[in-house]
Amino acid sequence: MRTVRTVGDLRAALREPRPAGHTIGLVPTMGALHDGHISLIRAARTANDLVVVSLFVNPAQFDDAGDLARYPRDEARDAALAAAAGTDLLFAPPAGEVYPDGFATTVHVAGLTETLEGAHRGVAHFDGVATVVTKLLTMVGPDVAYFGQKDAQQLAVIRRLVRDLDLPLHIEACPTVREPDGLALSSRNVHLAGADRERALALKRGLDAATAAFEAGERDAAAIARAGRAAMERLGVEPEYLAVVSPDDLRPVRTIAADVLVAVAARVGPTRLIDNTILRLGAWAQTRPPGAGEAAPAALAG
Ligand code: AMP
């Protein structure tokens, strides 16, 4: 694995593989790599000739200076993990390479960025994400870029900007990797001390309760959200939001008639966590005549 720090060196490293028809997979990260990131790198390794991992803690997407200052950084460790997972090229630019003096451009994805995380962290968060991801995609020019379903709203924003700006690549979403007890892996989990580690399970418990209500036949989004919130409160955690929305445009759903995203955010001690799940309405349920019974058949309930 080679490490490059400038756009010039990055492009020089890709000058030969691209015309030779080699496919390039990009995995953008902010470092502090864990098995979630590694799963994206492995997916990229399986499907591409060349794997580029970017390592850049993007100051523009932090709404809280303390969060940015506390963000875990250890490039040597990240480089070793990235190399072991099959990375060919590590792009680890300094901030001045990404945001040179006089930098004045923002990519803003309207609508999608104002809800959920945007409502709580401010739209500047997703402006920062959209701008840096657009830059990384144009710097690297990958055939495929890999993102985690863990950050479902980020994924929706990136899909939209790629479509709107006609960027010539495919976005691949990878499933959320979890601890054995269900906690979604996150670079911020290192801040979960003592009882907060146990309470952090509230997010997954809330999603599981929402899923259980759905699988028992509930189709009223408010009732599903209530079931989720109640499960979280049993662990003493109040969600900032627990919302049932459309996975593509993130608009609130009232009655579930297609697949929905259940997205949750909560502060556990000083640490802010997010998680989500998709409730999938099988073809059976979509074609089911009204009043044909609410319980899902056993085959769909697992
Ligand atoms: P980050 O370094 O937090 O910006 O994350 C880099 C990429 O890893 C993003 O596409 C995230 O969605 C993805 N990611 C983060 N946590 C997980 C996880 N637990 N499972 C799968 N992907 C993840």
Side-chain angles (χ1 to χ4, degrees):
M1 185 183 79
R2 252 186 81 198
T3 298
V4 290
R5 301 194 185 274
T6 67
V7 181
D9 286 349
L10 173 71
R11 293 214 165 115
L14 298 173
R15 203 163 286 141
E16 281 182 21
R18 200 193 318 277
H22 292 179
T23 58
I24 300 170
L26 170 66
V27 181
T29 82
M30 297 206 298
L33 299 188
H34 52 61
D35 282 350
H37 300 108
I38 300 302
S39 74
L40 305 189
I41 299 173
R42 294 233 164 90
R45 177 72 284 161
T46 305
N48 297 277
D49 298 310
L50 205 104
V51 175
V52 182
V53 171
S54 64
L55 190 59
F56 181 61
V57 182
N58 176 30
Q61 72 188 70
F62 283 80
D63 43 292
D64 173 347
D67 189 25
L68 174 60
R70 271 202 316 273
Y71 205 81
R73 294 162 212 246
D74 184 346
E75 186 183 313
R77 176 185 171 276
D78 288 338
L81 289 170
T87 304
D88 297 302
L89 200 58
L90 187 69
F91 177 48
E97 181 71 12
V98 180
Y99 300 114
D101 281 348
F103 187 85
T105 302
T106 298
V107 178
H108 175 70
V109 180
L112 286 183
T113 54
E114 284 141 31
T115 174
L116 305 176
E117 287 300 282
H120 285 264
R121 304 183 63 168
V123 286
H125 166 66
F126 282 117
D127 286 356
V129 171
T131 303
V132 82
V133 169
T134 303
K135 282 177 66 80
L136 289 167
L137 296 178
T138 53
M139 287 167 177
V140 175
D143 297 278
V144 188
Y146 296 80
F147 294 90
Q149 179 63 41
K150 156 86 169 30
D151 297 281
Q153 185 171 15
Q154 170 173 286
L155 183 62
V157 168
I158 291 164
R159 284 195 194 283
R160 186 65 63 89
L161 79 82
V162 164
R163 190 201 73 176
D164 288 356
L165 298 178
D166 302 300
L167 300 183
L169 79 150
H170 172 70
I171 298 295
E172 186 72 31
C174 297
T176 301
V177 177
R178 299 177 180 281
E179 298 282 4
D181 65 4
L183 178 68
L185 297 191
S186 162
S187 306
R188 292 187 174 86
N189 290 356
V190 295
H191 301 309
L192 292 169
D196 285 346
R197 173 62 184 80
E198 186 65 25
R199 292 173 64 236
L201 280 178
L203 285 85
K204 179 65 162 65
R205 294 272 161 78
L207 295 173
D208 287 348
T211 303
F214 172 74
E215 287 179 349
E218 185 60 75
R219 295 294 178 265
D220 175 42
I224 286 175
R226 268 198 306 279
R229 276 191 212 106
M232 294 181 73
E233 278 153 20
R234 281 197 283 282
L235 277 172
V237 174
E238 171 141 15
E240 278 183 7
Y241 61 79
L242 188 151
V244 181
V245 300
S246 149
D248 301 323
D249 62 20
L250 308 178
R251 293 222 178 106
V253 168
R254 284 170 69 111
T255 305
I256 298 178
D259 291 356
V260 292
L261 173 74
V262 185
V264 63
R267 219 167 255 286
V268 178
T271 311
R272 192 170 178 283
L273 300 172
I274 60 171
D275 201 348
N276 69 82
T277 193
I278 304 260
L279 303 182
R280 295 191 193 283
L281 210 53
W284 164 83
Q286 286 179 47
T287 55
R288 184 174 52 115
E294 289 302 311
L300 291 178

